[in-house]
Amino acid sequence: MQPTRGQPPEAVDPIGYHYHPALSSTRLKAAVSGTMRAYWARYVDPNRVEVPPTDAMRQGSLVDTFITQPEKAEQRYLVLPADAPKRPTAKQLQDGRNSRPGTKIHDAYLDAQAREKWWEEFFPTIGKREVVTQEWWDRAEAIREVLMAHPEIGPRLRDALVTSQDPHLWFDEGMGEWCRYLPDLETDSGELWDLKKARSCSPRAMVAQAYALAYDLQLSHYDSGYCDRHRGKPTQIGLICYEWDWPHDSILMPASDTLIALGYERRNLARRLIRECEEAGVWPSHETTELTPPRWLMRGEPQPEEPAPTPDPIVLF
């Protein structure tokens, strides 16, 4: 049951943020960047299975921690030792169980058992931390250094408020819903920025990706949450984008008023689509569509620099 104005949901905390019942930008983005059937499978299906975060999602979360809460990096993550053996599969642990000592298959069996023992001794040291490789850890540190040295991004990261990475819950009168947002970066000068890991930070690629993945909607949702939390609009709102691969290109992308207005329109559209499907009990997939040449070709334009990626429900956080 969706919470109502007279029935505020439970408090929201960073650990359980993504499972809180209040409406998030992630759910709203899913409604306009994919099909409603995909939305149903992700959020409505009573038999849905939680999809584990992709590597791209995990890498982004690691960088977010290094940038916004570096003091908590070692509390949240554990670097896998360089000498860690590859964990054996269930089949490898069984193959050769009754083999004759001195044979290759028996040696492989003993090796699998030794590797499994290493992991059994390692697991108790993990606790609630997420295990990452040294390569990932080093890349996250390098990205933080690159962004801190950026003449426009660096000062904003150093100007971060304690409300960064702190969730906020509010009743959105325009939506008629309890909503939540978790800002990556709010600054002392009244700015709000969301960190994005991108395959390419070229302006053209980011503009296409921003619309395809409904970043405009996300920023409008954050704008609404910011207004409720701070009793006023942010002085500037937008994206700080970076690339995972060296040399870690980055770009600061303030959102125009036109983009935020478009985001509010798509936000309202997303809520309407969700309500209509909820009321009808029908969650449609793609409509029948005639296969034609791409529009850019018919207009005589050059091929886009990079096709907009297919939205991944996990990446939409």
Side-chain angles (χ1 to χ4, degrees), residues 47-207:
N47 299 316
R48 63 187 178 277
V49 178
E50 291 298 327
V51 181
T54 62
D55 280 352
M57 176 67 179
R58 293 176 59 223
Q59 290 165 353
S61 296
L62 177 62
V63 174
D64 284 359
T65 300
F66 265 85
I67 292 175
T68 63
Q69 298 176 310
E71 72 283 356
K72 295 184 178 180
E74 293 186 355
Q75 300 173 24
R76 295 178 179 175
Y77 296 96
L78 176 65
V79 176
L80 186 67
D83 62 350
K86 184 176 181 180
R87 194 174 183 197
T89 64
K91 185 176 186 299
Q92 289 173 329
L93 290 171
Q94 292 298 320
D95 285 352
R97 187 182 188 118
N98 299 317
S99 61
R100 189 173 67 256
T103 61
K104 288 185 178 181
I105 189 171
H106 188 73
D107 290 344
Y109 169 74
L110 294 179
D111 177 68
Q113 295 299 319
R115 286 185 285 135
E116 182 65 13
K117 182 180 179 182
W118 187 95
W119 280 95
E120 289 176 350
E121 293 174 350
F122 177 66
F123 277 128
T125 69
I126 298 175
K128 295 183 178 180
R129 292 176 292 179
E130 180 178 340
V131 178
V132 296
T133 64
Q134 186 67 56
E135 180 190 5
W136 280 24
W137 184 273
D138 292 344
R139 283 208 195 188
E141 282 190 319
I143 290 169
R144 182 178 187 275
E145 291 176 2
V146 168
L147 293 182
M148 281 295 187
H150 192 287
E152 293 183 294
I153 297 174
R156 288 172 165 85
L157 298 183
R158 289 186 284 273
D159 192 29
L161 287 171
V162 294
T163 48
S164 299
Q165 290 292 318
D166 185 28
H168 178 66
L169 180 70
W170 82 102
F171 188 82
D172 192 295
E173 298 289 351
M175 297 282 284
E177 296 278 355
W178 282 95
C179 297
R180 56 184 165 93
Y181 87 116
L182 181 64
D184 280 337
L185 188 69
E186 292 185 345
T187 71
D188 188 54
S189 56
E191 298 179 355
L192 189 157
W193 300 95
D194 193 62
L195 296 165
K196 295 295 184 188
K197 184 170 81 68
R199 288 184 297 176
S200 170
C201 281
S202 73
R204 183 172 180 175
M206 283 308 306
V207 166

